[in-house]
Amino acid sequence: MIEVYIDGASAGDPGPSGAGIFIRGHGQGEHYSFPLGHMSNHEAEYCALLKALEICLSKKYKTVSFRTDSQLIERAVEKRFAKNDTYSPFLEKALEHIDQFDLFFIKWIPSKQNNVADELAKKGIQLNRK
């Protein structure tokens, strides 16, 4: 099973934002940092989820287990519902992707267990400035 650690970060809320993704599986680790432009921290979390789903689908991973330190993301995906209408388009797109996997799991983890994705997200913020 592929393990995917995701994190979104913003320097300000809203502010310059980045997404960090760490994928562990098949005996190797993949690291991704993406600049996201100017958005809120919650939007950055959703963008990290979407980018990670797109990567996994492009690599034809069929069974994935996502880890996030965002309870907002974990709850929205589990309930397939976003309380805030601002996030509904993000969630709808994510669910379209999720439904393409044979098995998909998402689990909330404490921030200290998500430090690799967090560092990658911070690097994504820096990439906005280049």
Side-chain angles (χ1 to χ4, degrees):
M1 178 178 308
I2 303 297
E3 290 183 354
V4 182
Y5 294 79
I6 61 171
D7 200 15
S10 294
D13 197 16
S17 301
I21 301 159
F22 173 60
I23 301 175
R24 182 170 47 202
H26 304 303
Q28 62 184 13
E30 302 170 45
H31 299 80
Y32 300 92
S33 292
F34 296 99
L36 299 174
H38 195 85
M39 63 180 56
S40 75
N41 187 65
H42 290 317
E43 289 170 316
E45 295 281 3
Y46 271 104
C47 286
L49 171 66
L50 287 169
K51 294 259 187 206
L53 290 167
E54 290 165 2
I55 291 167
C56 290
L57 288 170
S58 74
K59 293 182 172 282
K60 302 196 184 330
Y61 297 149
K62 296 293 184 187
T63 303
V64 294
S65 181
F66 275 53
R67 307 284 196 273
T68 178
D69 59 18
S70 170
Q71 290 181 337
L72 177 92
I73 296 294
E74 188 267 339
R75 288 177 182 157
V77 170
E78 285 292 329
K79 293 179 180 182
R80 300 180 71 93
F81 176 75
K83 287 183 181 180
N84 186 325
D85 289 341
T86 303
Y87 309 127
S88 293
F90 292 105
L91 180 60
E92 288 173 21
K93 187 68 175 169
L95 293 173
E96 287 175 18
H97 291 330
I98 288 167
D99 291 342
Q100 295 179 52
F101 292 98
D102 291 344
L103 284 173
F104 175 88
F105 303 96
I106 190 163
K107 178 182 177 182
W108 176 83
I109 58 173
S111 296
K112 65 184 177 185
Q113 292 178 17
N114 205 27
N115 56 354
V116 175
D118 178 62
E119 287 301 317
L120 293 167
K122 289 175 183 171
K123 182 178 174 185
I125 292 172
Q126 299 303 317
L127 292 173
N128 284 296
R129 298 184 178 133
K130 294 186 178 181

